[in-house]
Amino acid sequence: MLTPVIARDEIADASAPRPPRPPVRRLLSPYLYVLPAVALVTIWVFAPLGQTVALSFFDWNMLPTSPREFVGWGNYVDVLALPEMQQALVNTGLYILAGLVFLVLLPLMAVLVVRRLSTRVSNAYQALVFLPYLVTPVATGAIWRWLFAEDTGAVSAWAESIGLELGNVFRNPDLSLWAIVVILGWQMIGFGVLMVNAGYAGIDRTYADAASVDGASERRITWSIIVPLLSPTLAFLGLMAVLLVAQWSFPLIDLLTGGGPGSSSTNVYHLLFVFGFQNFDAGIAAAAGVLFFVVFLLIAWAFVELTERLSFFDD
């Protein structure tokens, strides 16, 4: 018969007193730190989101005395069949493309040019180009309504001097969207320049200096070292353009064109506002909001996955 052999160290470990268990307060402390943030996100984000999803299955005119009528998926079918929804989706895509130009492409070109100037001139340029971002949408709308004025506006007068008759751009179905794009770009480009310049300031100059010593040209250094190291910043700005440009354009659309003439300058957010607070059709507005949320969530997820693979990090 075999007798199991127990090592002396195991006997000592078994006889040693166990360490005291940490108190419950210490175990809960990490969760208590994040509890206020979780509570606020739940109250301000997830609870309204759940209520919106529930409301999307009802027909309701937002009157407290009016009963809600359950219509199932009917609101979603109606939203997708609306002709103005298709126009709003096309316009939203155009606003996003314009946002990529004004938030990513033009700021990158501006920073690559300005970095050749002296520090004082570069700082002065960035301060001037960032100022429009600080102007409120209401003031921006007033300024550009004056600049685009049909008879006395500076932009209209300049266009007339080169043979272009603009007329009232905010009442022209062919020009109203592009007028909003110009104003939006004027306001956004400063933010893009500031972000790209911050990313450029964080690049270690020894990479460019080493490449220069090895005989690399300025163009080669720019496109093989500077731009790849700026890719995380550019990806962040691209994500902001995709997700936020449609929201940023909403106050300008509402102030200057009201989404028109017709649906020529509207976007998905302004159309959602019209459904909910002008037509008082809460079910249609909720269904449109849920659809936009799902679509933008999928786009954001795909964009983040793509940028994780394409971005180059200096680590």
Side-chain angles (χ1 to χ4, degrees):
M1 182 175 180
L2 297 176
T3 303
V5 179
I6 303 177
R8 291 183 177 180
D9 294 341
E10 293 179 359
I11 296 175
D13 291 342
S15 59
R18 293 181 179 180
R21 299 179 63 181
V24 177
R25 184 178 179 182
R26 186 176 177 182
L27 292 175
L28 293 179
S29 58
Y31 301 98
L32 294 177
Y33 279 119
V34 300
L35 181 61
V38 173
L40 290 175
V41 170
T42 302
I43 293 172
W44 292 106
V45 177
F46 293 109
L49 180 63
Q51 293 176 352
T52 302
V53 172
L55 188 59
S56 67
F57 295 102
F58 290 88
D59 184 14
W60 186 44
N61 60 7
M62 301 181 70
L63 292 177
T65 56
S66 176
R68 301 181 183 186
E69 180 182 354
F70 181 76
V71 294
W73 295 98
N75 287 331
Y76 290 92
V77 175
D78 293 341
V79 165
L80 295 175
L82 290 172
E84 54 264 41
M85 174 60 70
Q86 299 171 10
Q87 182 67 49
L89 291 174
V90 173
N91 292 348
T92 302
L94 293 175
Y95 284 124
I96 290 174
L97 288 177
L100 290 173
V101 172
F102 287 108
L103 264 182
V104 182
L105 183 59
L106 292 182
L108 174 62
M109 296 173 62
V111 170
L112 292 179
V113 172
V114 170
R115 69 191 175 103
R116 304 170 187 271
L117 305 177
S118 64
T119 304
R120 180 175 298 179
V121 175
S122 176
N123 292 338
Y125 167 77
Q126 291 174 48
L128 289 175
V129 80
F130 185 70
L131 278 178
Y133 186 73
L134 303 177
V135 181
T136 62
V138 175
T140 300
I143 291 171
W144 281 91
R145 186 183 290 278
W146 172 67
L147 290 174
F148 276 125
E150 186 173 356
D151 298 324
T152 58
V155 176
S156 299
W158 171 80
E160 189 175 355
S161 67
I162 61 173
L164 294 177
E165 190 69 30
L166 293 181
N168 189 343
V169 294
F170 301 121
R171 291 292 175 265
N172 188 331
D174 296 326
L175 297 178
S176 59
L177 183 143
W178 301 111
I180 297 295
V181 165
V182 169
I183 301 170
L184 195 63
W186 174 78
Q187 205 170 25
M188 290 192 312
I189 191 170
F191 178 76
V193 169
L194 188 70
M195 294 298 295
V196 175
N197 191 66
Y200 176 76
I203 296 177
D204 191 346
R205 293 298 304 170
T206 57
Y207 296 124
D209 294 340
S212 180
V213 170
D214 290 339
S217 63
E218 189 68 24
R219 176 179 298 181
R220 181 69 181 275
I221 293 173
T222 298
W223 295 107
S224 299
I225 296 177
I226 303 298
V227 173
L229 289 175
L230 281 174
S231 58
T233 303
L234 300 179
F236 170 72
L237 289 174
L239 183 61
M240 291 192 68
V242 172
L243 297 181
L244 299 179
V245 162
Q247 295 184 35
W248 289 346
S249 62
F250 170 82
L252 297 175
I253 294 172
D254 195 53
L255 288 168
L256 296 174
T257 68
S263 301
S264 59
S265 62
T266 190
N267 67 11
V268 292
Y269 289 101
H270 191 266
L271 191 63
L272 191 153
F273 171 78
V274 171
F275 288 156
F277 299 101
Q278 292 185 3
N279 300 340
F280 297 103
D281 196 335
I284 291 288
V290 172
L291 287 176
F292 299 154
F293 173 78
V294 173
V295 170
F296 279 108
L297 182 65
L298 293 176
I299 291 175
W301 174 78
F303 202 91
V304 170
E305 289 291 326
L306 187 64
T307 52
E308 284 290 330
R309 297 182 181 183
L310 298 181
S311 296
F312 184 83
F313 296 95
D314 180 20
D315 54 5

